[in-house]
Every structure is written in structure tokens, then in C-alpha cells.
Amino acid sequence: MANVWEKISSKEKEEIFSLAEEYKKFLGLCKTEREVVNYITSLAMENGYKDGFNYNEEKLIFSDKDRIVAIYKRGKRKAIDGFKIIISHIDSPRLDLKPKPLYEDSELLLLDTQYYGGIKKYQWFSIPLAIHGVIVNKYNRRQYIVIGEEEDEPVFTIADLLPHLGKIQKDKKIDEALPGEKLDVLFGSIPLDGEKENKVKKNILKILKEKYEVEEEDLVSADITIVPAYKPRDIGIDRSLIGGYGQDDRICVWTSLKALMDIENNEYPILLLFVDREEIGSFGNTSARSKFLYVVVKRILEIEKSLNYYSVESALYNSKAISADVTSATNPNFKEVDDPNNSAKLNYGVAIVKYTGSGGKYYSSEASAEFTGYIRNLFNKHNVIWQTGIFGKVDEGGGGTVAIFLAEYGMDIIDIGAPILNMHSPFEISSKADLYMTYKAYKVFLESE
Ligand code: MN
Ligand code: MN
């Protein structure tokens, strides 16, 4: 295990910083799963990928419901010999609007929300927030809305209690002091002339109608999310780290995508899979548990004219996969939860996580000695600087990934990704050195024989 900065050449150091610039652009643009899908689709199309459900080409992209995507690149070998698969998730913890979000209180208009994924609620108070979403109106017309990302646009926020009146609040447990029902977003405050009741709400509805052609009932069916309004930034006087929202798991999304785009020749066919709903347990029709992967593999076998009774199962069984997800980095502020020998550290490169889960390895898919050894030797051979990762001390908590759902097909799968500090916060921290090593690790894996 080594600090990446102490091991690399000056040429690699330059590559690290330029890669980070590209990544920050992506991270700033993509704050919802649909925006990630848009980004992936445009990049793939620019690079010659065609719609896989309609074309029989060497480079294909499959997507469904704007929330799940697969990219396929043909190899020298056939699909039946197995794919090199990298799966990552495109959703991140956030606040979603309730179906009837608008309410007026104390002549202020608020948006009622429900949080999505594991958040520490207090972190969402008192920060600038943006609105991203999709609205379908009464004519079934779909409209994308993003407000709060441009300098001249308004932002939104959740007002906390001032310390002067926080005497009782500060004695409560943290989740009782700042419960989920208080995560309501300040949305406006000017009343409509001549109204007596709900006068601010009426004015805001008027603005929504005039400016965005949105009516109150449109919100009932909308996918609208509240995310931090700021762009990713460099952290540290040496600019070595990146702060930004949604790096779990978009750092793995982007590095795997970038790795694929930079590959010329691959022995095995490649399949990158980008799934939604991981943060809530991978339930739903765009999650890792959905039949999407199965359908995509079936379609590829059909294109290769090798579809038979059990070829889909064989192709999946013969595949080798990386579950590309972030792991927790040692936090000097909270070292007591970590196992210093085994936990990942920022700047120590991509983390190989043999097993996740919690307690007695519950809910985890552990990679075998054979597969973990294969990965380790591969990285060593190609100068990928790697480290081990685990989710804290035994019995300290834990976390799961989508690895268990692909493991069901019998394929070898292992968790490999960048370590993240401040994970699941509105401002997650990654290392530029780890970003680079994660990219390199995925590329070496996809190219390997
Ligand atoms: Mn994750
Ligand atoms: Mn997560």
C-alpha cells in the first residue's frame, strides 16, 4: 500500500490533474439519474455507439426509461464466453418532492419533501439547493426543469433554528432535533394582490403557470428532486481533492465510462451497466434487480446468432464483473470507527473490497480467493496503485452494494472503487489520485485477457 503521489511520474501527475478537470465537468452537469443517462447516451452516440434494440453493430447502447443504461462493445471472443462487466449506480441520496408539495405557512411558501437514500438530515439545512426534475402535463407533454444551477437563477434552502432559540433542540438526539418532516424547502414569499387566504401560494402558482407552464396537479405526477446547488470544487491548497455532490457513485460511473471510451482492442466483449435505485435497496424496474441485464444479454446473443435455451445463463455465468462502487475513506476526525489496517485511505489508490455487508458479513457477496487474487495480480502487473477497503470496524455498521444481485447468475464479482470521505453528504470528497487509479483499474480490467 502506498501513497499515489509518492509513486507516480511527473507525466502521470499531469494526467491526474487533467482527468480531474473532465470529471468535475461531468459531476457538475449530472445531479440526477436521468441527467447521468443523458450524459452517457450523448457520449456513447458521439463515439459511434448505436441503439442496441434496433441495430446490429459492434458498439451498442441500450437504455430504458431514462434511468438505466447498458453499453456493449464487441470483443474478439463471443458473448457466450462471458463479458467483462462493470456495474455502477447513477442515483444518489437526495430530497424528493411529495406528490402535493406546496403549502403556505406564516406567509411563506414551502415545498414538502421526502428524503431518498441514507442521509444525515441536519446536513441538508442551511445550504443552497437546486430543483431538478421532469414534469408531465395534462397533454402528456414532458418537460425538464432545472432551477438554481446558473448564477442568475434563484436557489432554495431549508431554514434551521437559530442557536438563540435552540436550547431544547440541542439537548435532543440528532434525528429527533432535525426530523425528516422538517426538511421543507423555502420556495417563495410574495402574496398575490387582493387575496385573503393562501395568498403566497396563489402567487407562486401564478408564476409557475406563466413562467414554466406548470399547474399544481402536474406536481402530483412529477419526478422532482432537490439537490445541492453548487458546482464541484477543488479542495486543499494543493488542489489534490475534489468536493462535490453525488460522487457516490458517479465517480465510478464516470471512470468506467471514460475507461471504455479509451479502449481500442478488447479480448472479451464489454458490458457497462449503469443502474438506478441502489440507494434505496435496488428495488424497482430500473434497478440492479430488474431483468434489464438479462434482456440486454439475450439481445446481444441474438445479434451474434447464438441464442439458445440456456445461452443467456451461460454468458452471464462465464462473465467477470466489477461492482464499481465507492468505499469509505478513513476520516481523521472520526478515526474511532475505522480499522486502521484495513480501511481505505484517500490518496492510496483504488480500493479492492473483498466483501461488504455488516455484522457477520450479512447481505454481502464475498469475492473468492481466486478472483480477488486474479484482480490483485492484474493491477500489480499494470502498475495500478490499489489498497484494501472495508466498511469500518466489525459491528460498527456497514453497507451493501449491487454485487449480490449479479452474483446470483454465478459470475465472479468484486467491489472495486474510489474511497470517499464525507460519503452521502451534500459535499462528498474524493482524491484526484484515486480518481486516476480507479480509471486505470477499470481500463486494465476491461482490456485484460
Ligand atoms: Mn454507492
Ligand atoms: Mn451510497
Side-chain angles (χ1 to χ4, degrees):
M1 315 288 139
N3 189 313
V4 175
W5 299 108
E6 293 175 339
K7 290 278 164 189
I8 46 158
S9 62
S10 56
K11 187 179 158 277
E12 272 193 307
K13 203 168 176 181
E14 267 173 45
E15 281 176 49
I16 287 176
F17 282 102
S18 76
L19 199 71
E21 290 310 304
E22 255 186 84
Y23 167 62
K24 280 190 292 175
K25 272 189 203 128
F26 156 80
L27 198 60
L29 282 172
C30 297
K31 294 192 179 178
T32 67
E33 62 283 353
R34 287 179 194 261
E35 287 161 1
V36 177
V37 168
N38 262 336
Y39 181 96
I40 294 172
T41 310
S42 330
L43 188 77
M45 296 285 187
E46 276 166 32
N47 282 275
Y49 285 79
K50 291 268 178 15
D51 172 18
F53 292 117
N54 290 302
Y55 289 86
N56 299 348
E57 308 273 330
E58 292 187 13
K59 296 183 348 181
L60 298 170
I61 177 162
F62 302 83
S63 84
D64 189 30
K65 298 178 179 66
D66 291 345
R67 288 174 135 175
I68 188 166
V69 191
I71 307 185
Y72 159 77
K73 184 171 183 289
R74 190 181 293 173
K76 290 188 195 111
R77 296 202 196 211
K78 294 284 179 205
I80 197 77
D81 294 330
F83 296 89
K84 289 288 179 65
I85 297 176
I86 298 184
I87 180 169
S88 55
H89 68 91
I90 56 178
D91 60 321
S92 294
R94 58 175 192 247
L95 308 178
D96 286 341
L97 292 197
K98 286 186 181 176
K100 286 153 89 181
L102 296 170
Y103 76 93
E104 182 172 335
D105 194 336
S106 317
E107 294 182 40
L108 296 172
L109 195 72
L110 292 140
L111 296 175
D112 206 352
T113 70
Q114 169 136 17
Y115 63 96
Y116 170 96
I119 61 164
K120 289 170 96 175
K121 287 147 204 159
Y122 70 87
Q123 295 177 336
W124 289 77
F125 287 82
S126 313
I127 60 169
L129 298 166
I131 288 177
H132 290 232
V134 176
I135 289 170
V136 174
N137 72 8
K138 60 185 170 193
Y139 309 109
N140 274 321
R141 196 171 58 85
R142 188 167 68 162
Q143 190 187 348
Y144 288 89
I145 285 187
V146 179
I147 312 167
E149 294 293 347
E150 299 299 330
E151 284 294 318
D152 59 350
E153 284 173 350
V155 293
F156 312 92
T157 197
I158 301 171
D160 196 358
L161 190 56
L162 64 168
H164 315 67
L165 299 179
K167 196 173 173 306
I168 295 171
Q169 185 192 39
K170 81 172 167 38
D171 291 336
K172 288 184 178 167
K173 282 189 182 157
I174 203 155
D175 260 8
E176 288 162 14
L178 298 158
E181 262 318 334
K182 287 201 191 294
L183 288 169
D184 291 350
V185 178
L186 193 52
F187 196 57
S189 69
I190 299 178
L192 189 65
D193 273 349
E195 294 290 335
K196 287 220 160 54
E197 270 176 29
N198 274 330
K199 45 199 176 183
V200 178
K201 182 174 170 181
K202 281 173 184 154
N203 190 41
I204 301 294
L205 283 171
K206 190 165 162 268
I207 294 171
L208 286 177
K209 178 88 185 147
E210 285 169 6
K211 213 166 165 208
Y212 301 97
E213 292 176 62
V214 170
E215 293 177 32
E216 191 171 13
E217 195 183 291
D218 298 340
L219 300 177
V220 170
S221 57
D223 288 339
I224 297 185
T225 67
I226 310 285
V227 293
Y230 36 76
K231 296 263 180 251
R233 299 286 292 266
D234 286 345
I235 296 181
I237 196 76
D238 55 6
R239 311 188 83 114
S240 57
L241 308 172
I242 299 166
Y245 165 72
Q247 300 202 65
D248 172 8
D249 183 29
R250 292 178 191 139
I251 190 167
C252 297
V253 167
W254 188 79
T255 45
S256 60
L257 186 66
K258 172 84 178 158
L260 174 63
M261 294 304 150
D262 290 350
I263 283 172
E264 305 251 300
N265 288 306
N266 47 300
E267 178 73 15
Y268 284 89
I270 290 171
L271 204 51
L272 296 192
L273 193 59
F274 304 95
V275 296
D276 184 24
R277 313 301 287 176
E278 190 275 343
E279 295 294 358
I280 51 98
S282 295
F283 293 96
N285 56 9
T286 53
S287 74
R289 291 190 211 230
S290 74
K291 296 284 180 284
F292 184 72
L293 172 62
Y294 192 91
V295 170
V296 166
V297 169
K298 198 165 183 176
R299 170 74 185 132
I300 293 166
L301 289 164
E302 181 190 50
I303 292 168
E304 290 190 355
K305 300 191 169 38
S306 55
L307 189 59
N308 64 40
Y309 184 63
Y310 50 74
S311 57
V312 181
E313 282 81 359
S314 298
L316 286 165
Y317 180 88
N318 291 331
S319 294
K320 286 188 169 69
I322 286 180
S323 161
D325 208 345
V326 299
T327 193
S328 131
T330 299
N331 185 340
N333 279 339
F334 299 95
K335 275 173 92 169
E336 61 276 14
V337 302
D338 274 313
D339 167 354
N341 252 339
N342 287 287
S343 295
K345 281 160 75 176
L346 287 182
N347 291 331
Y348 270 61
V350 68
I352 299 178
V353 181
K354 194 168 181 290
Y355 57 88
T356 59
S358 57
K361 299 190 178 180
Y362 287 98
Y363 307 109
S364 75
S365 138
E366 182 160 0
S368 66
E370 290 85 350
F371 190 52
T372 313
Y374 156 81
I375 290 286
R376 173 174 63 97
N377 296 328
L378 183 70
F379 289 176
N380 284 341
K381 188 174 156 199
H382 295 277
N383 299 316
V384 175
I385 300 177
W386 60 274
Q387 58 180 327
T388 56
I390 54 167
F391 266 93
K393 272 185 185 155
V394 175
D395 288 338
E396 197 66 53
T401 67
V402 297
I404 47 175
F405 307 115
L406 268 61
E408 284 183 18
Y409 295 110
M411 70 179 74
D412 276 314
I413 186 161
I414 185 165
D415 285 291
I416 295 174
I420 297 283
L421 204 58
N422 219 10
M423 198 198 286
H424 277 213
S425 81
F427 199 60
E428 299 180 310
I429 301 160
S430 65
S431 139
K432 291 183 182 179
D434 300 337
L435 171 84
Y436 176 75
M437 286 302 160
T438 305
Y439 156 78
K440 215 171 151 181
Y442 295 158
K443 188 159 179 279
V444 159
F445 169 74
L446 295 176
E447 284 173 328
S448 67
E449 295 191 357

Short mmCIF file of all heavy atoms in Angstrom, two decimals, residues 269-312:
data_model
loop_
_atom_site.label_atom_id
_atom_site.label_comp_id
_atom_site.label_asym_id
_atom_site.label_seq_id
_atom_site.Cartn_x
_atom_site.Cartn_y
_atom_site.Cartn_z
N PRO A 269 -15.93 -9.41 -24.84
CA PRO A 269 -16.93 -8.36 -25.00
C PRO A 269 -17.12 -7.61 -23.69
O PRO A 269 -17.00 -8.21 -22.61
CB PRO A 269 -18.19 -9.14 -25.38
CG PRO A 269 -17.97 -10.54 -24.94
CD PRO A 269 -16.49 -10.76 -25.00
N ILE A 270 -17.38 -6.33 -23.81
CA ILE A 270 -17.51 -5.48 -22.61
C ILE A 270 -18.96 -5.07 -22.45
O ILE A 270 -19.65 -4.74 -23.43
CB ILE A 270 -16.62 -4.23 -22.76
CG1 ILE A 270 -15.14 -4.62 -22.68
CG2 ILE A 270 -16.97 -3.19 -21.69
CD1 ILE A 270 -14.19 -3.50 -23.04
N LEU A 271 -19.39 -5.07 -21.21
CA LEU A 271 -20.73 -4.58 -20.90
C LEU A 271 -20.62 -3.66 -19.68
O LEU A 271 -20.21 -4.10 -18.61
CB LEU A 271 -21.65 -5.76 -20.59
CG LEU A 271 -23.14 -5.60 -20.79
CD1 LEU A 271 -23.50 -5.05 -22.16
CD2 LEU A 271 -23.83 -6.95 -20.58
N LEU A 272 -20.93 -2.40 -19.89
CA LEU A 272 -21.02 -1.49 -18.74
C LEU A 272 -22.50 -1.34 -18.41
O LEU A 272 -23.32 -1.13 -19.30
CB LEU A 272 -20.45 -0.11 -19.06
CG LEU A 272 -18.97 0.02 -19.38
CD1 LEU A 272 -18.57 1.49 -19.38
CD2 LEU A 272 -18.10 -0.75 -18.41
N LEU A 273 -22.79 -1.43 -17.14
CA LEU A 273 -24.20 -1.34 -16.72
C LEU A 273 -24.32 -0.21 -15.70
O LEU A 273 -23.55 -0.15 -14.73
CB LEU A 273 -24.58 -2.69 -16.11
CG LEU A 273 -26.05 -2.98 -15.87
CD1 LEU A 273 -26.85 -2.91 -17.17
CD2 LEU A 273 -26.18 -4.39 -15.28
N PHE A 274 -25.26 0.68 -15.96
CA PHE A 274 -25.47 1.83 -15.07
C PHE A 274 -26.90 1.74 -14.54
O PHE A 274 -27.85 1.88 -15.31
CB PHE A 274 -25.26 3.14 -15.82
CG PHE A 274 -23.92 3.24 -16.49
CD1 PHE A 274 -23.75 2.89 -17.82
CD2 PHE A 274 -22.81 3.67 -15.78
CE1 PHE A 274 -22.51 2.97 -18.44
CE2 PHE A 274 -21.56 3.75 -16.38
CZ PHE A 274 -21.42 3.40 -17.72
N VAL A 275 -27.03 1.49 -13.24
CA VAL A 275 -28.36 1.22 -12.68
C VAL A 275 -28.81 2.31 -11.70
O VAL A 275 -28.00 3.02 -11.12
CB VAL A 275 -28.39 -0.16 -11.97
CG1 VAL A 275 -28.14 -1.28 -12.95
CG2 VAL A 275 -27.38 -0.22 -10.81
N ASP A 276 -30.12 2.34 -11.53
CA ASP A 276 -30.78 3.31 -10.66
C ASP A 276 -31.21 2.60 -9.36
O ASP A 276 -31.08 1.38 -9.26
CB ASP A 276 -32.00 3.82 -11.46
CG ASP A 276 -32.75 4.92 -10.75
OD1 ASP A 276 -32.17 5.61 -9.91
OD2 ASP A 276 -33.95 5.08 -11.06
N ARG A 277 -31.70 3.33 -8.41
CA ARG A 277 -32.37 2.81 -7.20
C ARG A 277 -31.46 2.04 -6.24
O ARG A 277 -31.96 1.33 -5.37
CB ARG A 277 -33.57 1.91 -7.58
CG ARG A 277 -34.51 2.44 -8.63
CD ARG A 277 -35.16 3.75 -8.31
NE ARG A 277 -36.20 3.67 -7.29
CZ ARG A 277 -36.85 4.73 -6.81
NH1 ARG A 277 -36.58 5.94 -7.29
NH2 ARG A 277 -37.74 4.60 -5.88
N GLU A 278 -30.13 2.19 -6.38
CA GLU A 278 -29.25 1.46 -5.47
C GLU A 278 -29.38 1.97 -4.05
O GLU A 278 -29.34 1.21 -3.08
CB GLU A 278 -27.79 1.56 -5.94
CG GLU A 278 -26.82 0.63 -5.21
CD GLU A 278 -26.26 1.18 -3.90
OE1 GLU A 278 -26.34 2.40 -3.65
OE2 GLU A 278 -25.77 0.37 -3.09
N GLU A 279 -29.53 3.28 -3.93
CA GLU A 279 -29.52 3.89 -2.60
C GLU A 279 -30.73 3.52 -1.75
O GLU A 279 -30.76 3.79 -0.55
CB GLU A 279 -29.40 5.42 -2.72
CG GLU A 279 -28.09 5.91 -3.32
CD GLU A 279 -26.87 5.62 -2.46
OE1 GLU A 279 -27.03 5.06 -1.36
OE2 GLU A 279 -25.75 5.94 -2.90
N ILE A 280 -31.77 2.93 -2.37
CA ILE A 280 -32.92 2.51 -1.58
C ILE A 280 -33.07 0.99 -1.60
O ILE A 280 -34.13 0.45 -1.29
CB ILE A 280 -34.23 3.23 -2.02
CG1 ILE A 280 -34.44 3.12 -3.53
CG2 ILE A 280 -34.16 4.72 -1.69
CD1 ILE A 280 -35.38 2.05 -3.95
N GLY A 281 -32.01 0.29 -1.96
CA GLY A 281 -32.03 -1.17 -1.87
C GLY A 281 -32.22 -1.89 -3.19
O GLY A 281 -32.47 -3.09 -3.21
N SER A 282 -32.08 -1.16 -4.30
CA SER A 282 -32.17 -1.76 -5.64
C SER A 282 -33.52 -2.42 -5.90
O SER A 282 -33.60 -3.53 -6.43
CB SER A 282 -31.04 -2.77 -5.87
OG SER A 282 -29.80 -2.12 -5.86
N PHE A 283 -34.58 -1.73 -5.52
CA PHE A 283 -35.93 -2.17 -5.88
C PHE A 283 -36.42 -1.35 -7.06
O PHE A 283 -36.06 -0.19 -7.18
CB PHE A 283 -36.89 -1.99 -4.70
CG PHE A 283 -36.56 -2.90 -3.54
CD1 PHE A 283 -35.78 -2.44 -2.48
CD2 PHE A 283 -37.00 -4.21 -3.53
CE1 PHE A 283 -35.45 -3.28 -1.43
CE2 PHE A 283 -36.69 -5.05 -2.47
CZ PHE A 283 -35.91 -4.59 -1.41
N GLY A 284 -37.28 -1.95 -7.90
CA GLY A 284 -37.88 -1.17 -8.99
C GLY A 284 -37.39 -1.58 -10.36
O GLY A 284 -36.38 -2.28 -10.50
N ASN A 285 -38.10 -1.09 -11.39
CA ASN A 285 -37.87 -1.57 -12.75
C ASN A 285 -36.63 -1.01 -13.43
O ASN A 285 -36.33 -1.36 -14.57
CB ASN A 285 -39.13 -1.35 -13.62
CG ASN A 285 -39.57 0.10 -13.64
OD1 ASN A 285 -38.87 0.99 -13.14
ND2 ASN A 285 -40.74 0.36 -14.20
N THR A 286 -35.89 -0.13 -12.76
CA THR A 286 -34.63 0.35 -13.35
C THR A 286 -33.45 0.04 -12.42
O THR A 286 -32.39 0.64 -12.52
CB THR A 286 -34.70 1.87 -13.63
OG1 THR A 286 -35.12 2.54 -12.44
CG2 THR A 286 -35.68 2.18 -14.75
N SER A 287 -33.65 -0.89 -11.52
CA SER A 287 -32.62 -1.23 -10.54
C SER A 287 -31.78 -2.42 -10.99
O SER A 287 -32.08 -3.05 -12.01
CB SER A 287 -33.28 -1.58 -9.22
OG SER A 287 -33.89 -2.86 -9.32
N ALA A 288 -30.76 -2.74 -10.21
CA ALA A 288 -29.92 -3.91 -10.49
C ALA A 288 -30.69 -5.21 -10.37
O ALA A 288 -30.29 -6.23 -10.90
CB ALA A 288 -28.72 -3.93 -9.54
N ARG A 289 -31.80 -5.19 -9.63
CA ARG A 289 -32.62 -6.40 -9.51
C ARG A 289 -33.56 -6.60 -10.70
O ARG A 289 -34.20 -7.63 -10.81
CB ARG A 289 -33.51 -6.32 -8.27
CG ARG A 289 -32.78 -6.40 -6.96
CD ARG A 289 -33.82 -6.54 -5.86
NE ARG A 289 -33.36 -5.94 -4.63
CZ ARG A 289 -33.40 -6.57 -3.46
NH1 ARG A 289 -33.87 -7.78 -3.38
NH2 ARG A 289 -32.96 -5.95 -2.37
N SER A 290 -33.71 -5.58 -11.57
CA SER A 290 -34.63 -5.70 -12.70
C SER A 290 -34.07 -6.68 -13.72
O SER A 290 -32.92 -7.08 -13.65
CB SER A 290 -34.86 -4.33 -13.35
OG SER A 290 -33.72 -3.97 -14.10
N LYS A 291 -34.89 -7.04 -14.70
CA LYS A 291 -34.47 -8.02 -15.72
C LYS A 291 -33.69 -7.37 -16.86
O LYS A 291 -33.42 -8.00 -17.88
CB LYS A 291 -35.71 -8.72 -16.29
CG LYS A 291 -36.46 -9.57 -15.28
CD LYS A 291 -35.74 -10.88 -15.00
CE LYS A 291 -36.47 -11.75 -13.99
NZ LYS A 291 -36.33 -11.29 -12.60
N PHE A 292 -33.34 -6.09 -16.72
CA PHE A 292 -32.70 -5.35 -17.81
C PHE A 292 -31.43 -6.04 -18.32
O PHE A 292 -31.28 -6.25 -19.53
CB PHE A 292 -32.41 -3.92 -17.34
CG PHE A 292 -31.83 -3.03 -18.39
CD1 PHE A 292 -32.61 -2.57 -19.44
CD2 PHE A 292 -30.49 -2.65 -18.34
CE1 PHE A 292 -32.07 -1.74 -20.42
CE2 PHE A 292 -29.95 -1.83 -19.32
CZ PHE A 292 -30.75 -1.37 -20.35
N LEU A 293 -30.53 -6.40 -17.42
CA LEU A 293 -29.28 -7.05 -17.83
C LEU A 293 -29.57 -8.33 -18.62
O LEU A 293 -28.96 -8.59 -19.66
CB LEU A 293 -28.41 -7.36 -16.60
CG LEU A 293 -27.15 -8.20 -16.85
CD1 LEU A 293 -26.18 -7.49 -17.79
CD2 LEU A 293 -26.46 -8.56 -15.54
N TYR A 294 -30.51 -9.10 -18.11
CA TYR A 294 -30.89 -10.36 -18.76
C TYR A 294 -31.37 -10.11 -20.19
O TYR A 294 -30.94 -10.78 -21.14
CB TYR A 294 -32.00 -11.03 -17.93
CG TYR A 294 -32.27 -12.46 -18.33
CD1 TYR A 294 -31.60 -13.52 -17.72
CD2 TYR A 294 -33.20 -12.76 -19.33
CE1 TYR A 294 -31.84 -14.83 -18.09
CE2 TYR A 294 -33.45 -14.07 -19.70
CZ TYR A 294 -32.76 -15.10 -19.08
OH TYR A 294 -33.01 -16.40 -19.46
N VAL A 295 -32.21 -9.10 -20.35
CA VAL A 295 -32.77 -8.77 -21.67
C VAL A 295 -31.67 -8.29 -22.62
O VAL A 295 -31.63 -8.67 -23.80
CB VAL A 295 -33.89 -7.71 -21.52
CG1 VAL A 295 -34.32 -7.15 -22.87
CG2 VAL A 295 -35.08 -8.29 -20.77
N VAL A 296 -30.75 -7.48 -22.11
CA VAL A 296 -29.66 -6.95 -22.93
C VAL A 296 -28.76 -8.09 -23.41
O VAL A 296 -28.39 -8.17 -24.59
CB VAL A 296 -28.85 -5.88 -22.14
CG1 VAL A 296 -27.53 -5.58 -22.82
CG2 VAL A 296 -29.67 -4.61 -21.98
N VAL A 297 -28.42 -9.00 -22.51
CA VAL A 297 -27.55 -10.12 -22.88
C VAL A 297 -28.26 -11.01 -23.92
O VAL A 297 -27.64 -11.45 -24.89
CB VAL A 297 -27.15 -10.93 -21.61
CG1 VAL A 297 -26.47 -12.24 -21.99
CG2 VAL A 297 -26.21 -10.10 -20.74
N LYS A 298 -29.53 -11.21 -23.73
CA LYS A 298 -30.32 -12.00 -24.68
C LYS A 298 -30.27 -11.36 -26.07
O LYS A 298 -30.08 -12.03 -27.09
CB LYS A 298 -31.77 -12.08 -24.19
CG LYS A 298 -32.57 -13.18 -24.80
CD LYS A 298 -33.86 -13.41 -24.00
CE LYS A 298 -34.63 -14.57 -24.60
NZ LYS A 298 -35.81 -14.91 -23.83
N ARG A 299 -30.42 -10.06 -26.11
CA ARG A 299 -30.39 -9.32 -27.38
C ARG A 299 -29.01 -9.44 -28.05
O ARG A 299 -28.91 -9.62 -29.26
CB ARG A 299 -30.77 -7.86 -27.10
CG ARG A 299 -30.55 -6.90 -28.24
CD ARG A 299 -31.59 -7.06 -29.36
NE ARG A 299 -31.23 -6.17 -30.45
CZ ARG A 299 -31.18 -6.54 -31.72
NH1 ARG A 299 -31.53 -7.76 -32.09
NH2 ARG A 299 -30.83 -5.68 -32.65
N ILE A 300 -27.94 -9.35 -27.26
CA ILE A 300 -26.59 -9.46 -27.82
C ILE A 300 -26.37 -10.87 -28.39
O ILE A 300 -25.81 -11.03 -29.48
CB ILE A 300 -25.52 -9.11 -26.75
CG1 ILE A 300 -25.62 -7.62 -26.39
CG2 ILE A 300 -24.11 -9.44 -27.25
CD1 ILE A 300 -24.87 -7.22 -25.13
N LEU A 301 -26.84 -11.88 -27.69
CA LEU A 301 -26.72 -13.26 -28.18
C LEU A 301 -27.53 -13.45 -29.47
O LEU A 301 -27.11 -14.16 -30.38
CB LEU A 301 -27.17 -14.25 -27.11
CG LEU A 301 -26.21 -14.36 -25.92
CD1 LEU A 301 -26.89 -15.03 -24.74
CD2 LEU A 301 -24.93 -15.11 -26.30
N GLU A 302 -28.65 -12.77 -29.53
CA GLU A 302 -29.48 -12.83 -30.74
C GLU A 302 -28.72 -12.22 -31.92
O GLU A 302 -28.68 -12.79 -33.01
CB GLU A 302 -30.78 -12.06 -30.50
CG GLU A 302 -31.73 -12.09 -31.69
CD GLU A 302 -32.91 -11.12 -31.51
OE1 GLU A 302 -32.68 -9.93 -31.19
OE2 GLU A 302 -34.04 -11.56 -31.69
N ILE A 303 -28.05 -11.08 -31.67
CA ILE A 303 -27.25 -10.43 -32.72
C ILE A 303 -26.13 -11.36 -33.17
O ILE A 303 -25.82 -11.46 -34.35
CB ILE A 303 -26.69 -9.08 -32.21
CG1 ILE A 303 -27.83 -8.08 -32.01
CG2 ILE A 303 -25.64 -8.52 -33.18
CD1 ILE A 303 -27.44 -6.83 -31.26
N GLU A 304 -25.52 -12.07 -32.22
CA GLU A 304 -24.41 -13.00 -32.54
C GLU A 304 -24.91 -14.34 -33.05
O GLU A 304 -24.12 -15.25 -33.28
CB GLU A 304 -23.55 -13.21 -31.29
CG GLU A 304 -22.74 -11.99 -30.91
CD GLU A 304 -21.70 -12.29 -29.82
OE1 GLU A 304 -21.67 -13.43 -29.30
OE2 GLU A 304 -20.92 -11.38 -29.52
N LYS A 305 -26.22 -14.48 -33.18
CA LYS A 305 -26.85 -15.72 -33.65
C LYS A 305 -26.47 -16.93 -32.79
O LYS A 305 -26.25 -18.04 -33.28
CB LYS A 305 -26.51 -15.98 -35.12
CG LYS A 305 -27.00 -14.86 -36.05
CD LYS A 305 -26.91 -15.23 -37.51
CE LYS A 305 -27.63 -14.26 -38.41
NZ LYS A 305 -27.54 -12.84 -38.06
N SER A 306 -26.33 -16.71 -31.49
CA SER A 306 -26.01 -17.84 -30.61
C SER A 306 -27.03 -17.96 -29.47
O SER A 306 -26.73 -18.49 -28.41
CB SER A 306 -24.59 -17.71 -30.06
OG SER A 306 -24.42 -16.47 -29.43
N LEU A 307 -28.22 -17.45 -29.74
CA LEU A 307 -29.26 -17.54 -28.72
C LEU A 307 -29.85 -18.95 -28.72
O LEU A 307 -30.34 -19.43 -29.73
CB LEU A 307 -30.36 -16.51 -29.02
CG LEU A 307 -31.43 -16.30 -27.95
CD1 LEU A 307 -30.82 -15.85 -26.64
CD2 LEU A 307 -32.46 -15.29 -28.43
N ASN A 308 -29.74 -19.63 -27.59
CA ASN A 308 -30.42 -20.92 -27.45
C ASN A 308 -30.98 -21.03 -26.05
O ASN A 308 -30.96 -20.07 -25.29
CB ASN A 308 -29.50 -22.09 -27.82
CG ASN A 308 -28.32 -22.20 -26.86
OD1 ASN A 308 -28.47 -22.02 -25.65
ND2 ASN A 308 -27.15 -22.49 -27.40
N TYR A 309 -31.42 -22.23 -25.70
CA TYR A 309 -32.19 -22.41 -24.48
C TYR A 309 -31.49 -21.86 -23.24
O TYR A 309 -32.10 -21.25 -22.40
CB TYR A 309 -32.52 -23.90 -24.30
CG TYR A 309 -33.40 -24.14 -23.12
CD1 TYR A 309 -34.70 -23.62 -23.07
CD2 TYR A 309 -32.94 -24.90 -22.03
CE1 TYR A 309 -35.51 -23.84 -21.98
CE2 TYR A 309 -33.75 -25.12 -20.94
CZ TYR A 309 -35.04 -24.58 -20.91
OH TYR A 309 -35.83 -24.79 -19.83
N TYR A 310 -30.18 -22.10 -23.09
CA TYR A 310 -29.53 -21.58 -21.88
C TYR A 310 -28.30 -20.72 -22.15
O TYR A 310 -27.45 -20.56 -21.30
CB TYR A 310 -29.20 -22.70 -20.88
CG TYR A 310 -28.47 -23.89 -21.45
CD1 TYR A 310 -27.13 -23.81 -21.79
CD2 TYR A 310 -29.14 -25.09 -21.65
CE1 TYR A 310 -26.47 -24.91 -22.31
CE2 TYR A 310 -28.49 -26.19 -22.18
CZ TYR A 310 -27.15 -26.10 -22.51
OH TYR A 310 -26.50 -27.18 -23.04
N SER A 311 -28.20 -20.14 -23.35
CA SER A 311 -27.01 -19.34 -23.64
C SER A 311 -26.95 -18.04 -22.83
O SER A 311 -25.87 -17.55 -22.52
CB SER A 311 -26.89 -19.05 -25.14
OG SER A 311 -28.03 -18.40 -25.62
N VAL A 312 -28.10 -17.47 -22.48
CA VAL A 312 -28.08 -16.24 -21.66
C VAL A 312 -27.45 -16.56 -20.30
O VAL A 312 -26.55 -15.86 -19.84
CB VAL A 312 -29.50 -15.67 -21.46
CG1 VAL A 312 -29.44 -14.40 -20.63
CG2 VAL A 312 -30.18 -15.40 -22.78
#
